[in-house]
Amino acid sequence: MGKSRRTIPEELLLLALDPATGTTAQPQSLDLGLAGAQLVELALAGRIAPDGDRIAVVVPRPTGDPTLDCALELLRRRGAPVRAVNWIGGPRLGLRQTYLSHLERCGMVHAVAGQMCGVLPTTRYQATDTEINREIRTRLDNAIRTGVPPDPRTAALAALAHAVGLGKHLYPGNEGRSSRSRLRDLIRHDPMGGLVAHAVMDVQSGVAAQPRRNPAPVGRPATAGVRSAPEPARGVPMQPRHGSMARAVAH
């Protein structure tokens, strides 16, 4: 997999970064979304495929992306298809920090050291290339406003953005209500993205005991089965750094 193309986890994280504060919106649900975004990226790379509400490895060959390949290897070791909701709800400690550090190495964000309460060291992240962020937002905006079915990558990104509750971050206030609704509706344009987005919402809602029905196929109205994503309260306190490793600030 060539690194000239940004992965969906990277784009989701860039969307979540607040340019004014250098913090990430919806941090708890974002962690789930990043795990789900890895599944979508692996599916687009032809390594995994949906099997009902489960994920099956179809080509175990590495992609060349170390973080994605780690997830692929863990899926392969399971031996049997894994329910998407169980995979996304599993422990993913440090996944957000891994992607923030990767974006920093690639020059797409830079870390800004600070202090909480004037004592505890913290780290904020600022985007260094606003053109990249504008390009990502333009793709979403076009899909929302034109009504033209987006490409699978954009459709999956929109589905995950809705699932983790970024709608009010991207399209705030009453004036953004219709855009948030259309963002939610884009979930129907990519089956894998829809499966993963529903799994993210199920984990947040604590719905993991029973298999859910398959997402509606492309072209079939899906509004009856689409729930609004829960939106955790903002204002989560910053987390201190431990040792030499910077921790992402969560807001």
Side-chain angles (χ1 to χ4, degrees), residues 116-154:
M116 182 172 62
C117 301
V119 178
L120 298 175
T122 61
T123 303
R124 299 174 184 270
Y125 290 86
Q126 299 284 353
T128 57
D129 190 340
T130 55
E131 183 61 32
I132 292 176
N133 289 57
R134 280 196 294 268
E135 185 270 330
I136 298 171
R137 281 295 301 273
T138 297
R139 282 164 43 211
L140 284 185
D141 291 346
N142 288 342
I144 287 172
R145 292 168 182 165
T146 65
V148 177
D151 62 276
R153 183 171 292 273
T154 301

PDB file of all heavy atoms in Angstrom, residues 116-154:
ATOM      1  N   MET A 116      -0.971  21.548  32.351  1.00  0.00           N
ATOM      2  CA  MET A 116      -2.309  21.612  32.897  1.00  0.00           C
ATOM      3  C   MET A 116      -2.214  22.085  34.344  1.00  0.00           C
ATOM      4  O   MET A 116      -1.435  21.536  35.125  1.00  0.00           O
ATOM      5  CB  MET A 116      -2.984  20.229  32.832  1.00  0.00           C
ATOM      6  CG  MET A 116      -4.421  20.221  33.357  1.00  0.00           C
ATOM      7  SD  MET A 116      -5.267  18.642  33.056  1.00  0.00           S
ATOM      8  CE  MET A 116      -4.245  17.525  34.010  1.00  0.00           C
ATOM      9  N   CYS A 117      -2.989  23.101  34.650  1.00  0.00           N
ATOM     10  CA  CYS A 117      -2.960  23.690  35.994  1.00  0.00           C
ATOM     11  C   CYS A 117      -1.566  24.204  36.341  1.00  0.00           C
ATOM     12  O   CYS A 117      -1.199  24.288  37.520  1.00  0.00           O
ATOM     13  CB  CYS A 117      -3.424  22.684  37.044  1.00  0.00           C
ATOM     14  SG  CYS A 117      -5.095  22.062  36.770  1.00  0.00           S
ATOM     15  N   GLY A 118      -0.762  24.516  35.328  1.00  0.00           N
ATOM     16  CA  GLY A 118       0.560  25.048  35.553  1.00  0.00           C
ATOM     17  C   GLY A 118       1.564  24.064  36.098  1.00  0.00           C
ATOM     18  O   GLY A 118       2.677  24.438  36.463  1.00  0.00           O
ATOM     19  N   VAL A 119       1.174  22.758  36.129  1.00  0.00           N
ATOM     20  CA  VAL A 119       2.064  21.766  36.730  1.00  0.00           C
ATOM     21  C   VAL A 119       2.257  20.552  35.826  1.00  0.00           C
ATOM     22  O   VAL A 119       3.387  20.201  35.459  1.00  0.00           O
ATOM     23  CB  VAL A 119       1.513  21.297  38.102  1.00  0.00           C
ATOM     24  CG1 VAL A 119       2.421  20.226  38.698  1.00  0.00           C
ATOM     25  CG2 VAL A 119       1.356  22.467  39.057  1.00  0.00           C
ATOM     26  N   LEU A 120       1.172  19.891  35.461  1.00  0.00           N
ATOM     27  CA  LEU A 120       1.268  18.640  34.724  1.00  0.00           C
ATOM     28  C   LEU A 120       1.541  18.891  33.248  1.00  0.00           C
ATOM     29  O   LEU A 120       0.822  19.662  32.601  1.00  0.00           O
ATOM     30  CB  LEU A 120      -0.037  17.847  34.881  1.00  0.00           C
ATOM     31  CG  LEU A 120      -0.387  17.422  36.306  1.00  0.00           C
ATOM     32  CD1 LEU A 120      -1.751  16.764  36.335  1.00  0.00           C
ATOM     33  CD2 LEU A 120       0.677  16.491  36.867  1.00  0.00           C
ATOM     34  N   PRO A 121       2.580  18.243  32.681  1.00  0.00           N
ATOM     35  CA  PRO A 121       2.890  18.438  31.269  1.00  0.00           C
ATOM     36  C   PRO A 121       1.838  17.800  30.366  1.00  0.00           C
ATOM     37  O   PRO A 121       1.342  16.715  30.651  1.00  0.00           O
ATOM     38  CB  PRO A 121       4.249  17.748  31.098  1.00  0.00           C
ATOM     39  CG  PRO A 121       4.288  16.741  32.195  1.00  0.00           C
ATOM     40  CD  PRO A 121       3.531  17.314  33.344  1.00  0.00           C
ATOM     41  N   THR A 122       1.459  18.502  29.312  1.00  0.00           N
ATOM     42  CA  THR A 122       0.485  18.009  28.350  1.00  0.00           C
ATOM     43  C   THR A 122       0.991  18.277  26.938  1.00  0.00           C
ATOM     44  O   THR A 122       1.951  19.021  26.725  1.00  0.00           O
ATOM     45  CB  THR A 122      -0.873  18.698  28.532  1.00  0.00           C
ATOM     46  OG1 THR A 122      -0.702  20.108  28.310  1.00  0.00           O
ATOM     47  CG2 THR A 122      -1.437  18.467  29.932  1.00  0.00           C
ATOM     48  N   THR A 123       0.329  17.661  25.973  1.00  0.00           N
ATOM     49  CA  THR A 123       0.686  17.876  24.570  1.00  0.00           C
ATOM     50  C   THR A 123      -0.572  18.113  23.750  1.00  0.00           C
ATOM     51  O   THR A 123      -1.540  17.363  23.871  1.00  0.00           O
ATOM     52  CB  THR A 123       1.436  16.668  23.995  1.00  0.00           C
ATOM     53  OG1 THR A 123       2.597  16.416  24.779  1.00  0.00           O
ATOM     54  CG2 THR A 123       1.849  16.918  22.549  1.00  0.00           C
ATOM     55  N   ARG A 124      -0.540  19.163  22.956  1.00  0.00           N
ATOM     56  CA  ARG A 124      -1.600  19.442  21.995  1.00  0.00           C
ATOM     57  C   ARG A 124      -1.029  19.249  20.594  1.00  0.00           C
ATOM     58  O   ARG A 124       0.195  19.320  20.400  1.00  0.00           O
ATOM     59  CB  ARG A 124      -2.137  20.865  22.162  1.00  0.00           C
ATOM     60  CG  ARG A 124      -2.755  21.137  23.525  1.00  0.00           C
ATOM     61  CD  ARG A 124      -3.134  22.609  23.665  1.00  0.00           C
ATOM     62  NE  ARG A 124      -3.647  22.904  24.990  1.00  0.00           N
ATOM     63  CZ  ARG A 124      -4.932  22.836  25.335  1.00  0.00           C
ATOM     64  NH1 ARG A 124      -5.814  22.490  24.415  1.00  0.00           N
ATOM     65  NH2 ARG A 124      -5.314  23.111  26.558  1.00  0.00           N
ATOM     66  N   TYR A 125      -1.913  19.028  19.638  1.00  0.00           N
ATOM     67  CA  TYR A 125      -1.465  18.782  18.264  1.00  0.00           C
ATOM     68  C   TYR A 125      -2.156  19.753  17.313  1.00  0.00           C
ATOM     69  O   TYR A 125      -3.382  19.873  17.313  1.00  0.00           O
ATOM     70  CB  TYR A 125      -1.760  17.346  17.850  1.00  0.00           C
ATOM     71  CG  TYR A 125      -0.883  16.336  18.575  1.00  0.00           C
ATOM     72  CD1 TYR A 125      -1.242  15.844  19.820  1.00  0.00           C
ATOM     73  CD2 TYR A 125       0.322  15.912  18.021  1.00  0.00           C
ATOM     74  CE1 TYR A 125      -0.438  14.947  20.505  1.00  0.00           C
ATOM     75  CE2 TYR A 125       1.135  15.019  18.694  1.00  0.00           C
ATOM     76  CZ  TYR A 125       0.751  14.543  19.929  1.00  0.00           C
ATOM     77  OH  TYR A 125       1.561  13.656  20.607  1.00  0.00           O
ATOM     78  N   GLN A 126      -1.344  20.444  16.515  1.00  0.00           N
ATOM     79  CA  GLN A 126      -1.853  21.392  15.538  1.00  0.00           C
ATOM     80  C   GLN A 126      -1.552  20.887  14.132  1.00  0.00           C
ATOM     81  O   GLN A 126      -0.439  20.411  13.866  1.00  0.00           O
ATOM     82  CB  GLN A 126      -1.198  22.765  15.738  1.00  0.00           C
ATOM     83  CG  GLN A 126      -1.465  23.397  17.091  1.00  0.00           C
ATOM     84  CD  GLN A 126      -2.862  23.976  17.198  1.00  0.00           C
ATOM     85  OE1 GLN A 126      -3.609  24.018  16.211  1.00  0.00           O
ATOM     86  NE2 GLN A 126      -3.233  24.430  18.388  1.00  0.00           N
ATOM     87  N   ALA A 127      -2.543  20.993  13.240  1.00  0.00           N
ATOM     88  CA  ALA A 127      -2.320  20.619  11.853  1.00  0.00           C
ATOM     89  C   ALA A 127      -1.330  21.591  11.216  1.00  0.00           C
ATOM     90  O   ALA A 127      -1.402  22.801  11.438  1.00  0.00           O
ATOM     91  CB  ALA A 127      -3.635  20.621  11.084  1.00  0.00           C
ATOM     92  N   THR A 128      -0.403  21.065  10.450  1.00  0.00           N
ATOM     93  CA  THR A 128       0.607  21.916   9.811  1.00  0.00           C
ATOM     94  C   THR A 128       0.265  22.233   8.357  1.00  0.00           C
ATOM     95  O   THR A 128       0.803  23.173   7.794  1.00  0.00           O
ATOM     96  CB  THR A 128       1.983  21.227   9.847  1.00  0.00           C
ATOM     97  OG1 THR A 128       1.882  19.945   9.211  1.00  0.00           O
ATOM     98  CG2 THR A 128       2.452  21.052  11.282  1.00  0.00           C
ATOM     99  N   ASP A 129      -0.606  21.442   7.754  1.00  0.00           N
ATOM    100  CA  ASP A 129      -0.979  21.649   6.353  1.00  0.00           C
ATOM    101  C   ASP A 129      -2.492  21.777   6.284  1.00  0.00           C
ATOM    102  O   ASP A 129      -3.214  20.781   6.195  1.00  0.00           O
ATOM    103  CB  ASP A 129      -0.497  20.487   5.493  1.00  0.00           C
ATOM    104  CG  ASP A 129      -0.635  20.770   3.995  1.00  0.00           C
ATOM    105  OD1 ASP A 129      -1.434  21.660   3.642  1.00  0.00           O
ATOM    106  OD2 ASP A 129       0.030  20.082   3.205  1.00  0.00           O
ATOM    107  N   THR A 130      -2.993  23.003   6.348  1.00  0.00           N
ATOM    108  CA  THR A 130      -4.436  23.212   6.339  1.00  0.00           C
ATOM    109  C   THR A 130      -5.055  22.811   5.009  1.00  0.00           C
ATOM    110  O   THR A 130      -6.258  22.546   4.948  1.00  0.00           O
ATOM    111  CB  THR A 130      -4.769  24.681   6.633  1.00  0.00           C
ATOM    112  OG1 THR A 130      -4.080  25.520   5.694  1.00  0.00           O
ATOM    113  CG2 THR A 130      -4.329  25.058   8.049  1.00  0.00           C
ATOM    114  N   GLU A 131      -4.256  22.751   3.954  1.00  0.00           N
ATOM    115  CA  GLU A 131      -4.786  22.349   2.648  1.00  0.00           C
ATOM    116  C   GLU A 131      -5.289  20.908   2.687  1.00  0.00           C
ATOM    117  O   GLU A 131      -6.304  20.573   2.063  1.00  0.00           O
ATOM    118  CB  GLU A 131      -3.705  22.504   1.575  1.00  0.00           C
ATOM    119  CG  GLU A 131      -4.182  22.190   0.160  1.00  0.00           C
ATOM    120  CD  GLU A 131      -5.296  23.109  -0.284  1.00  0.00           C
ATOM    121  OE1 GLU A 131      -5.313  24.284   0.135  1.00  0.00           O
ATOM    122  OE2 GLU A 131      -6.164  22.630  -1.053  1.00  0.00           O
ATOM    123  N   ILE A 132      -4.586  20.044   3.429  1.00  0.00           N
ATOM    124  CA  ILE A 132      -5.020  18.654   3.556  1.00  0.00           C
ATOM    125  C   ILE A 132      -6.369  18.591   4.245  1.00  0.00           C
ATOM    126  O   ILE A 132      -7.291  17.894   3.795  1.00  0.00           O
ATOM    127  CB  ILE A 132      -3.973  17.835   4.332  1.00  0.00           C
ATOM    128  CG1 ILE A 132      -2.693  17.690   3.516  1.00  0.00           C
ATOM    129  CG2 ILE A 132      -4.521  16.457   4.692  1.00  0.00           C
ATOM    130  CD1 ILE A 132      -1.581  16.973   4.243  1.00  0.00           C
ATOM    131  N   ASN A 133      -6.522  19.334   5.330  1.00  0.00           N
ATOM    132  CA  ASN A 133      -7.795  19.349   6.042  1.00  0.00           C
ATOM    133  C   ASN A 133      -8.914  19.896   5.173  1.00  0.00           C
ATOM    134  O   ASN A 133     -10.042  19.382   5.197  1.00  0.00           O
ATOM    135  CB  ASN A 133      -7.671  20.168   7.324  1.00  0.00           C
ATOM    136  CG  ASN A 133      -6.828  19.474   8.377  1.00  0.00           C
ATOM    137  OD1 ASN A 133      -5.674  19.147   8.121  1.00  0.00           O
ATOM    138  ND2 ASN A 133      -7.391  19.231   9.546  1.00  0.00           N
ATOM    139  N   ARG A 134      -8.622  20.937   4.404  1.00  0.00           N
ATOM    140  CA  ARG A 134      -9.640  21.499   3.512  1.00  0.00           C
ATOM    141  C   ARG A 134     -10.066  20.483   2.460  1.00  0.00           C
ATOM    142  O   ARG A 134     -11.245  20.391   2.121  1.00  0.00           O
ATOM    143  CB  ARG A 134      -9.122  22.776   2.840  1.00  0.00           C
ATOM    144  CG  ARG A 134      -9.195  24.004   3.730  1.00  0.00           C
ATOM    145  CD  ARG A 134      -9.055  25.268   2.903  1.00  0.00           C
ATOM    146  NE  ARG A 134      -7.730  25.375   2.299  1.00  0.00           N
ATOM    147  CZ  ARG A 134      -6.707  25.999   2.864  1.00  0.00           C
ATOM    148  NH1 ARG A 134      -6.845  26.546   4.059  1.00  0.00           N
ATOM    149  NH2 ARG A 134      -5.550  26.067   2.254  1.00  0.00           N
ATOM    150  N   GLU A 135      -9.099  19.724   1.946  1.00  0.00           N
ATOM    151  CA  GLU A 135      -9.428  18.725   0.922  1.00  0.00           C
ATOM    152  C   GLU A 135     -10.342  17.646   1.491  1.00  0.00           C
ATOM    153  O   GLU A 135     -11.306  17.221   0.837  1.00  0.00           O
ATOM    154  CB  GLU A 135      -8.127  18.106   0.380  1.00  0.00           C
ATOM    155  CG  GLU A 135      -8.324  17.134  -0.784  1.00  0.00           C
ATOM    156  CD  GLU A 135      -8.523  15.702  -0.316  1.00  0.00           C
ATOM    157  OE1 GLU A 135      -7.981  15.351   0.749  1.00  0.00           O
ATOM    158  OE2 GLU A 135      -9.248  14.938  -0.995  1.00  0.00           O
ATOM    159  N   ILE A 136     -10.061  17.207   2.712  1.00  0.00           N
ATOM    160  CA  ILE A 136     -10.906  16.182   3.339  1.00  0.00           C
ATOM    161  C   ILE A 136     -12.310  16.735   3.572  1.00  0.00           C
ATOM    162  O   ILE A 136     -13.316  16.078   3.261  1.00  0.00           O
ATOM    163  CB  ILE A 136     -10.282  15.710   4.665  1.00  0.00           C
ATOM    164  CG1 ILE A 136      -8.919  15.060   4.416  1.00  0.00           C
ATOM    165  CG2 ILE A 136     -11.206  14.704   5.364  1.00  0.00           C
ATOM    166  CD1 ILE A 136      -8.142  14.756   5.687  1.00  0.00           C
ATOM    167  N   ARG A 137     -12.389  17.951   4.122  1.00  0.00           N
ATOM    168  CA  ARG A 137     -13.693  18.552   4.381  1.00  0.00           C
ATOM    169  C   ARG A 137     -14.460  18.790   3.088  1.00  0.00           C
ATOM    170  O   ARG A 137     -15.697  18.617   3.040  1.00  0.00           O
ATOM    171  CB  ARG A 137     -13.516  19.879   5.129  1.00  0.00           C
ATOM    172  CG  ARG A 137     -13.254  19.734   6.609  1.00  0.00           C
ATOM    173  CD  ARG A 137     -14.452  19.128   7.327  1.00  0.00           C
ATOM    174  NE  ARG A 137     -15.655  19.919   7.167  1.00  0.00           N
ATOM    175  CZ  ARG A 137     -16.000  20.934   7.953  1.00  0.00           C
ATOM    176  NH1 ARG A 137     -15.219  21.282   8.964  1.00  0.00           N
ATOM    177  NH2 ARG A 137     -17.131  21.595   7.751  1.00  0.00           N
ATOM    178  N   THR A 138     -13.764  19.190   2.034  1.00  0.00           N
ATOM    179  CA  THR A 138     -14.433  19.439   0.755  1.00  0.00           C
ATOM    180  C   THR A 138     -15.082  18.174   0.224  1.00  0.00           C
ATOM    181  O   THR A 138     -16.200  18.209  -0.316  1.00  0.00           O
ATOM    182  CB  THR A 138     -13.434  19.997  -0.273  1.00  0.00           C
ATOM    183  OG1 THR A 138     -12.946  21.269   0.184  1.00  0.00           O
ATOM    184  CG2 THR A 138     -14.100  20.192  -1.632  1.00  0.00           C
ATOM    185  N   ARG A 139     -14.396  17.040   0.364  1.00  0.00           N
ATOM    186  CA  ARG A 139     -14.981  15.776  -0.079  1.00  0.00           C
ATOM    187  C   ARG A 139     -16.271  15.475   0.663  1.00  0.00           C
ATOM    188  O   ARG A 139     -17.274  15.075   0.066  1.00  0.00           O
ATOM    189  CB  ARG A 139     -13.984  14.637   0.101  1.00  0.00           C
ATOM    190  CG  ARG A 139     -12.901  14.588  -0.973  1.00  0.00           C
ATOM    191  CD  ARG A 139     -11.734  13.722  -0.567  1.00  0.00           C
ATOM    192  NE  ARG A 139     -12.152  12.477   0.061  1.00  0.00           N
ATOM    193  CZ  ARG A 139     -11.444  11.843   0.993  1.00  0.00           C
ATOM    194  NH1 ARG A 139     -10.296  12.356   1.415  1.00  0.00           N
ATOM    195  NH2 ARG A 139     -11.866  10.711   1.498  1.00  0.00           N
ATOM    196  N   LEU A 140     -16.255  15.666   1.988  1.00  0.00           N
ATOM    197  CA  LEU A 140     -17.469  15.429   2.764  1.00  0.00           C
ATOM    198  C   LEU A 140     -18.560  16.426   2.390  1.00  0.00           C
ATOM    199  O   LEU A 140     -19.727  16.048   2.202  1.00  0.00           O
ATOM    200  CB  LEU A 140     -17.170  15.536   4.253  1.00  0.00           C
ATOM    201  CG  LEU A 140     -16.448  14.365   4.932  1.00  0.00           C
ATOM    202  CD1 LEU A 140     -16.364  14.627   6.428  1.00  0.00           C
ATOM    203  CD2 LEU A 140     -17.138  13.047   4.667  1.00  0.00           C
ATOM    204  N   ASP A 141     -18.196  17.699   2.297  1.00  0.00           N
ATOM    205  CA  ASP A 141     -19.182  18.730   1.968  1.00  0.00           C
ATOM    206  C   ASP A 141     -19.833  18.463   0.619  1.00  0.00           C
ATOM    207  O   ASP A 141     -21.052  18.620   0.463  1.00  0.00           O
ATOM    208  CB  ASP A 141     -18.522  20.107   1.957  1.00  0.00           C
ATOM    209  CG  ASP A 141     -18.094  20.571   3.344  1.00  0.00           C
ATOM    210  OD1 ASP A 141     -18.544  19.953   4.330  1.00  0.00           O
ATOM    211  OD2 ASP A 141     -17.297  21.522   3.421  1.00  0.00           O
ATOM    212  N   ASN A 142     -19.034  18.077  -0.370  1.00  0.00           N
ATOM    213  CA  ASN A 142     -19.581  17.794  -1.700  1.00  0.00           C
ATOM    214  C   ASN A 142     -20.547  16.625  -1.657  1.00  0.00           C
ATOM    215  O   ASN A 142     -21.608  16.641  -2.302  1.00  0.00           O
ATOM    216  CB  ASN A 142     -18.458  17.516  -2.692  1.00  0.00           C
ATOM    217  CG  ASN A 142     -17.676  18.762  -3.068  1.00  0.00           C
ATOM    218  OD1 ASN A 142     -18.157  19.884  -2.871  1.00  0.00           O
ATOM    219  ND2 ASN A 142     -16.485  18.581  -3.602  1.00  0.00           N
ATOM    220  N   ALA A 143     -20.175  15.584  -0.909  1.00  0.00           N
ATOM    221  CA  ALA A 143     -21.054  14.416  -0.803  1.00  0.00           C
ATOM    222  C   ALA A 143     -22.369  14.785  -0.130  1.00  0.00           C
ATOM    223  O   ALA A 143     -23.433  14.270  -0.494  1.00  0.00           O
ATOM    224  CB  ALA A 143     -20.355  13.307  -0.029  1.00  0.00           C
ATOM    225  N   ILE A 144     -22.306  15.685   0.848  1.00  0.00           N
ATOM    226  CA  ILE A 144     -23.503  16.090   1.582  1.00  0.00           C
ATOM    227  C   ILE A 144     -24.392  17.005   0.750  1.00  0.00           C
ATOM    228  O   ILE A 144     -25.612  16.829   0.683  1.00  0.00           O
ATOM    229  CB  ILE A 144     -23.098  16.791   2.895  1.00  0.00           C
ATOM    230  CG1 ILE A 144     -22.571  15.763   3.903  1.00  0.00           C
ATOM    231  CG2 ILE A 144     -24.262  17.565   3.504  1.00  0.00           C
ATOM    232  CD1 ILE A 144     -21.972  16.382   5.148  1.00  0.00           C
ATOM    233  N   ARG A 145     -23.786  17.952   0.054  1.00  0.00           N
ATOM    234  CA  ARG A 145     -24.562  19.011  -0.589  1.00  0.00           C
ATOM    235  C   ARG A 145     -25.007  18.683  -2.004  1.00  0.00           C
ATOM    236  O   ARG A 145     -26.021  19.201  -2.469  1.00  0.00           O
ATOM    237  CB  ARG A 145     -23.748  20.306  -0.580  1.00  0.00           C
ATOM    238  CG  ARG A 145     -23.566  20.867   0.832  1.00  0.00           C
ATOM    239  CD  ARG A 145     -22.540  21.968   0.897  1.00  0.00           C
ATOM    240  NE  ARG A 145     -22.372  22.425   2.285  1.00  0.00           N
ATOM    241  CZ  ARG A 145     -21.376  23.161   2.717  1.00  0.00           C
ATOM    242  NH1 ARG A 145     -20.445  23.568   1.869  1.00  0.00           N
ATOM    243  NH2 ARG A 145     -21.313  23.510   3.993  1.00  0.00           N
ATOM    244  N   THR A 146     -24.265  17.845  -2.708  1.00  0.00           N
ATOM    245  CA  THR A 146     -24.626  17.554  -4.098  1.00  0.00           C
ATOM    246  C   THR A 146     -25.597  16.388  -4.217  1.00  0.00           C
ATOM    247  O   THR A 146     -26.326  16.289  -5.201  1.00  0.00           O
ATOM    248  CB  THR A 146     -23.371  17.225  -4.930  1.00  0.00           C
ATOM    249  OG1 THR A 146     -22.770  16.006  -4.444  1.00  0.00           O
ATOM    250  CG2 THR A 146     -22.354  18.356  -4.850  1.00  0.00           C
ATOM    251  N   GLY A 147     -25.598  15.489  -3.239  1.00  0.00           N
ATOM    252  CA  GLY A 147     -26.450  14.312  -3.336  1.00  0.00           C
ATOM    253  C   GLY A 147     -25.899  13.243  -4.252  1.00  0.00           C
ATOM    254  O   GLY A 147     -26.524  12.196  -4.434  1.00  0.00           O
ATOM    255  N   VAL A 148     -24.728  13.484  -4.850  1.00  0.00           N
ATOM    256  CA  VAL A 148     -24.098  12.490  -5.720  1.00  0.00           C
ATOM    257  C   VAL A 148     -23.452  11.415  -4.850  1.00  0.00           C
ATOM    258  O   VAL A 148     -22.710  11.747  -3.905  1.00  0.00           O
ATOM    259  CB  VAL A 148     -23.032  13.153  -6.620  1.00  0.00           C
ATOM    260  CG1 VAL A 148     -22.318  12.095  -7.469  1.00  0.00           C
ATOM    261  CG2 VAL A 148     -23.680  14.209  -7.499  1.00  0.00           C
ATOM    262  N   PRO A 149     -23.717  10.131  -5.117  1.00  0.00           N
ATOM    263  CA  PRO A 149     -23.105   9.078  -4.294  1.00  0.00           C
ATOM    264  C   PRO A 149     -21.591   9.216  -4.267  1.00  0.00           C
ATOM    265  O   PRO A 149     -20.945   9.297  -5.323  1.00  0.00           O
ATOM    266  CB  PRO A 149     -23.536   7.781  -4.997  1.00  0.00           C
ATOM    267  CG  PRO A 149     -24.818   8.145  -5.676  1.00  0.00           C
ATOM    268  CD  PRO A 149     -24.632   9.564  -6.131  1.00  0.00           C
ATOM    269  N   PRO A 150     -20.991   9.250  -3.100  1.00  0.00           N
ATOM    270  CA  PRO A 150     -19.540   9.425  -3.005  1.00  0.00           C
ATOM    271  C   PRO A 150     -18.805   8.124  -3.298  1.00  0.00           C
ATOM    272  O   PRO A 150     -19.397   7.047  -3.336  1.00  0.00           O
ATOM    273  CB  PRO A 150     -19.342   9.849  -1.549  1.00  0.00           C
ATOM    274  CG  PRO A 150     -20.465   9.178  -0.824  1.00  0.00           C
ATOM    275  CD  PRO A 150     -21.631   9.178  -1.777  1.00  0.00           C
ATOM    276  N   ASP A 151     -17.496   8.241  -3.477  1.00  0.00           N
ATOM    277  CA  ASP A 151     -16.671   7.050  -3.619  1.00  0.00           C
ATOM    278  C   ASP A 151     -16.657   6.303  -2.286  1.00  0.00           C
ATOM    279  O   ASP A 151     -16.960   6.874  -1.238  1.00  0.00           O
ATOM    280  CB  ASP A 151     -15.245   7.438  -4.024  1.00  0.00           C
ATOM    281  CG  ASP A 151     -14.571   8.309  -2.976  1.00  0.00           C
ATOM    282  OD1 ASP A 151     -14.779   9.537  -3.003  1.00  0.00           O
ATOM    283  OD2 ASP A 151     -13.858   7.754  -2.104  1.00  0.00           O
ATOM    284  N   PRO A 152     -16.328   4.991  -2.314  1.00  0.00           N
ATOM    285  CA  PRO A 152     -16.380   4.199  -1.081  1.00  0.00           C
ATOM    286  C   PRO A 152     -15.542   4.761   0.060  1.00  0.00           C
ATOM    287  O   PRO A 152     -15.942   4.693   1.229  1.00  0.00           O
ATOM    288  CB  PRO A 152     -15.860   2.822  -1.531  1.00  0.00           C
ATOM    289  CG  PRO A 152     -16.201   2.748  -2.974  1.00  0.00           C
ATOM    290  CD  PRO A 152     -16.021   4.154  -3.488  1.00  0.00           C
ATOM    291  N   ARG A 153     -14.388   5.337  -0.265  1.00  0.00           N
ATOM    292  CA  ARG A 153     -13.524   5.883   0.782  1.00  0.00           C
ATOM    293  C   ARG A 153     -14.193   7.061   1.492  1.00  0.00           C
ATOM    294  O   ARG A 153     -14.194   7.134   2.721  1.00  0.00           O
ATOM    295  CB  ARG A 153     -12.188   6.297   0.159  1.00  0.00           C
ATOM    296  CG  ARG A 153     -11.157   6.826   1.134  1.00  0.00           C
ATOM    297  CD  ARG A 153      -9.821   6.997   0.433  1.00  0.00           C
ATOM    298  NE  ARG A 153      -9.286   5.696   0.070  1.00  0.00           N
ATOM    299  CZ  ARG A 153      -8.538   4.944   0.870  1.00  0.00           C
ATOM    300  NH1 ARG A 153      -8.225   5.384   2.076  1.00  0.00           N
ATOM    301  NH2 ARG A 153      -8.103   3.766   0.470  1.00  0.00           N
ATOM    302  N   THR A 154     -14.769   7.973   0.725  1.00  0.00           N
ATOM    303  CA  THR A 154     -15.445   9.121   1.320  1.00  0.00           C
ATOM    304  C   THR A 154     -16.706   8.692   2.059  1.00  0.00           C
ATOM    305  O   THR A 154     -17.012   9.210   3.136  1.00  0.00           O
ATOM    306  CB  THR A 154     -15.795  10.157   0.239  1.00  0.00           C
ATOM    307  OG1 THR A 154     -14.588  10.575  -0.420  1.00  0.00           O
ATOM    308  CG2 THR A 154     -16.485  11.368   0.834  1.00  0.00           C
TER     309      THR A 154
END
